[in-house]
Amino acid sequence: MINDISWAKIPLPDDILRLKNAGYLVEAKSAIGHMLSGFLPECMRKRLELEKEIIGILDENEYPYKRQEAAELLNRTFTDVMEGELDELVRSSAADWIYINGEIHFHKLFLDNIIKTRSDYRMRLKVREDDDAGILRQKMLNDNVSYMKDHGRKKARVIIRASIRINKESERVGEKVRVHIPIPRKCRQVKDIKILEASPEITVIAPEDAEQRTMCFETELKPDQEFYVRYSYLNSVDYVEVDPEKAVDAHPEFYKGEQAPHILFTPFLKELLEEIREGEENPALVARKIYDFITTRVKYSFVREYAGIDNISEYAGKNLKGDCGVQAILFITLCRMAGIPARWQSGLHASPLYTGCHDWAEFYIEPYGWLYADPSFGGSAYRMGQMERWNYYFGNLDIYRMAANGSLQSEFIPPRKYFRADPIDNQRGEVEYEDRGLSFLEFQSEQVTELIEDWQVKRDE
């Protein structure tokens, strides 16, 4: 399978790794080709074939800013920038960078990351915009917590329009193109899924229980063509107050194993888990300790495309930073290592105020069954001093979700021919021609929540 990234668990040969880490990517590709032409153990051959795909992600499009350019961006964006301030951001892991041809290059979102995660820098913005939508969004989330605690259940009928359009410079009019757009999958909070409208003609709709559910279009590309779908679904969530005294240390034998390369029980993570749990055996308390560690100690940070990270859970643990998906994978991994079943969910956070990609987790505690955990939303609440909301996202979700994915690294239906832009998850969609797949830089995806009918009902209604 072209998108089988499990072989990333195999370490790269030292010569390849040195070239990659120094950013000599052309030379690394050449060295990989030379090694593939000779004898190799089959596992190393698969690793190097995978690396040919991965290494293309770490380029100047993903990391466009040289040091001087990054420093100039800081000066244009913030007041009172001091000499050496960029170096301090690097030392504090606030600015993601790699070497390209032996020279430091900064990530395309390094400035956005600073603005999002550092309130001291937001106060120094030269152009500060009123964040009325952000204030309303925080109120919406807090209101959701209050309502759920008072009533025990919330439902919503959601309508979303999702689309993909290929950029002009990558447009190949008249050629066959295949487009996958994620759509809701049937799961415990999502049902009554309806396709309301789509264009062009739909080729395949994956089954409702597909692990990574998509709608597939296959057609000859027209100029400036838009691929879109409008769909609706019913989302329903119940409020759960997790009482550790009721927790039973007996779990079914599912969702407890490793899944290379990102859910691996490494020596470092084993040591980390023991520090976090401090000898605790109660599964509810262990899961809460893991949640607390991630939400209070792991900084939210935009990261490179996931395919460019060898082991996401270890990346999060050793760097103490990561975005919503990185934090969710660390939570899942540590829970499984502690014997607590845990699994992935992702898709969109979909509200009238904001619609965008988002990841979270589920974990299993008897007698409650499956519970939710959203370390990213929990960590945001913690940083804002919203303790009630911080506690809420251990065990619970809001209704503003579209769940398209129930696992990592699952193949599409129908399967892709070429390496995916994201072989791990799917929230933005994927595009491929007959001879290659497109990167995220070559097409635009958009999701708009058109309507949410919020039905505020009691649990027994």
Side-chain angles (χ1 to χ4, degrees):
M1 186 173 69
I2 188 66
N3 290 293
D4 181 4
I5 62 169
S6 64
W7 295 106
K9 65 187 176 184
I10 304 298
L12 289 171
D14 288 353
D15 288 347
I16 306 295
L17 187 60
R18 280 192 290 266
L19 288 169
K20 180 180 178 180
N21 288 343
Y24 293 105
L25 305 181
V26 173
E27 292 83 353
K29 289 180 182 178
S30 176
I32 288 172
H34 178 73
M35 292 191 70
L36 286 171
S37 68
F39 169 78
L40 286 172
E42 187 60 23
C43 60
M44 182 57 69
R45 182 172 297 279
K46 291 183 179 296
R47 175 66 177 96
L48 292 179
E49 288 172 347
L50 174 64
E51 188 62 27
K52 285 195 303 182
E53 304 288 351
I54 291 174
I55 208 166
I57 295 169
L58 305 175
D59 59 15
E60 294 187 32
N61 291 314
E62 187 76 3
Y63 288 85
Y65 304 118
K66 296 181 180 180
R67 178 183 287 275
Q68 184 60 36
E69 294 169 324
E72 290 171 358
L73 273 174
L74 279 183
N75 278 292
R76 290 200 300 267
T77 306
F78 302 107
T79 61
D80 305 319
V81 176
M82 306 291 289
E83 185 177 350
E85 198 161 332
L86 181 60
D87 293 331
E88 179 54 36
L89 288 167
V90 170
R91 283 192 291 271
S92 63
S93 294
D96 186 27
W97 61 274
I98 62 170
Y99 284 115
I100 296 180
N101 295 327
E103 185 177 3
I104 287 179
H105 281 60
F106 288 85
H107 193 264
K108 61 186 178 183
L109 296 177
F110 94 94
L111 198 65
D112 303 71
N113 194 62
I114 293 166
I115 296 169
K116 179 179 176 66
T117 62
R118 295 283 295 266
S119 59
D120 54 333
Y121 275 87
R122 286 197 299 275
M123 296 297 293
R124 292 166 53 192
L125 281 168
K126 288 183 177 179
V127 179
R128 296 174 62 182
E129 298 179 357
D130 294 333
D131 189 18
D132 295 337
I135 294 170
L136 289 172
R137 188 179 174 203
Q138 297 303 314
K139 182 179 184 301
M140 177 187 73
L141 295 176
N142 286 335
D143 288 348
N144 173 78
V145 174
S146 298
Y147 186 90
M148 290 289 283
K149 286 190 169 184
D150 289 344
H151 298 86
R153 168 177 284 185
K154 212 171 187 186
K155 290 184 179 180
R157 167 69 64 184
V158 186
I159 299 177
I160 293 176
R161 186 185 193 276
S163 65
I164 283 178
R165 195 186 298 268
I166 299 171
N167 296 345
K168 275 294 182 184
E169 57 271 21
S170 298
E171 192 178 57
R172 288 155 58 171
V173 175
E175 292 194 25
K176 186 177 178 181
V177 66
R178 178 183 284 181
V179 175
H180 285 91
I181 295 180
I183 57 176
R185 69 184 298 266
K186 188 175 182 179
C187 52
R188 63 194 186 96
Q189 77 267 41
V190 174
K191 62 181 180 180
D192 195 21
I193 303 162
K194 298 177 180 177
I195 304 301
L196 305 178
E197 184 181 0
S199 180
E201 184 179 348
I202 301 166
T203 304
V204 177
I205 300 178
E208 285 195 340
D209 61 351
E211 290 295 329
Q212 293 192 0
R213 192 177 186 220
T214 67
M215 170 180 291
C216 177
F217 304 94
E218 196 170 295
T219 187
E220 290 185 359
L221 186 63
K222 296 179 175 60
D224 196 33
Q225 186 166 14
E226 182 187 44
F227 299 83
Y228 78 90
V229 57
R230 290 179 69 246
Y231 53 77
S232 70
Y233 60 95
L234 180 64
N235 201 15
S236 176
V237 290
D238 293 334
Y239 176 68
V240 179
E241 188 78 46
V242 182
D243 183 354
E245 293 187 2
K246 295 180 180 178
V248 178
D249 190 12
H251 298 107
E253 293 300 317
F254 50 51
Y255 296 103
K256 292 170 70 172
E258 295 178 287
Q259 185 180 4
H262 299 301
I263 302 177
L264 293 176
F265 305 165
T266 67
F268 165 67
L269 291 178
K270 289 177 182 177
E271 293 288 342
L272 178 62
L273 175 61
E274 291 311 307
E275 287 188 28
I276 292 171
R277 71 189 300 172
E278 298 178 307
E280 181 61 63
E281 296 295 335
N282 183 298
L285 292 176
V286 172
R288 179 65 202 227
K289 282 176 173 285
I290 294 169
Y291 175 84
D292 288 355
F293 172 80
I294 296 173
T295 54
T296 65
R297 299 298 184 187
V298 179
K299 299 176 185 176
Y300 187 92
S301 175
F302 297 130
V303 298
R304 68 195 66 170
E305 296 296 346
Y306 285 3
I309 303 175
D310 289 340
N311 180 336
I312 289 174
S313 57
E314 195 157 69
Y315 173 93
K318 68 185 182 183
N319 294 298
L320 296 179
K321 67 178 183 178
D323 65 8
C324 55
V326 170
Q327 293 183 25
I329 289 173
L330 179 59
F331 179 84
I332 291 167
T333 303
L334 292 175
C335 280
R336 290 188 181 188
M337 291 172 66
I340 301 168
R343 65 188 182 188
W344 176 262
Q345 266 199 350
S346 72
L348 301 174
H349 188 262
S351 80
L353 300 170
Y354 169 81
T355 303
C357 303
H358 191 52
D359 314 320
W360 57 95
E362 294 182 281
F363 64 106
Y364 191 98
I365 300 289
E366 290 283 6
Y368 300 101
W370 285 108
L371 301 166
Y372 300 106
D374 191 330
S376 170
F377 271 40
S380 174
Y382 179 83
R383 291 190 299 274
M384 294 179 179
Q386 299 284 345
M387 296 299 103
E388 186 177 29
R389 200 166 85 224
W390 174 53
N391 289 319
Y392 176 84
Y393 283 109
F394 177 76
N396 298 281
L397 277 189
D398 50 73
I399 61 166
Y400 307 110
R401 309 286 167 127
M402 187 282 281
N405 308 297
S407 70
L408 298 168
Q409 300 160 222
S410 293
E411 188 55 271
F412 291 168
I413 301 173
R416 287 262 301 184
K417 183 178 179 181
Y418 295 101
F419 195 72
R420 280 162 46 177
D422 184 353
I424 299 167
D425 190 32
N426 179 47
Q427 297 150 316
R428 290 172 279 183
E430 298 275 352
V431 181
E432 64 182 355
Y433 290 120
E434 285 287 85
D435 60 347
R436 70 179 186 90
L438 273 62
S439 74
F440 286 131
L441 296 172
E442 296 180 284
F443 65 91
Q444 303 296 319
S445 64
E446 184 180 50
Q447 306 85 25
V448 177
T449 302
E450 295 186 344
L451 175 69
I452 287 189
E453 294 179 336
D454 190 348
W455 305 337
Q456 299 183 340
V457 296
K458 294 182 180 180
R459 185 191 300 269
D460 56 356
E461 290 186 42

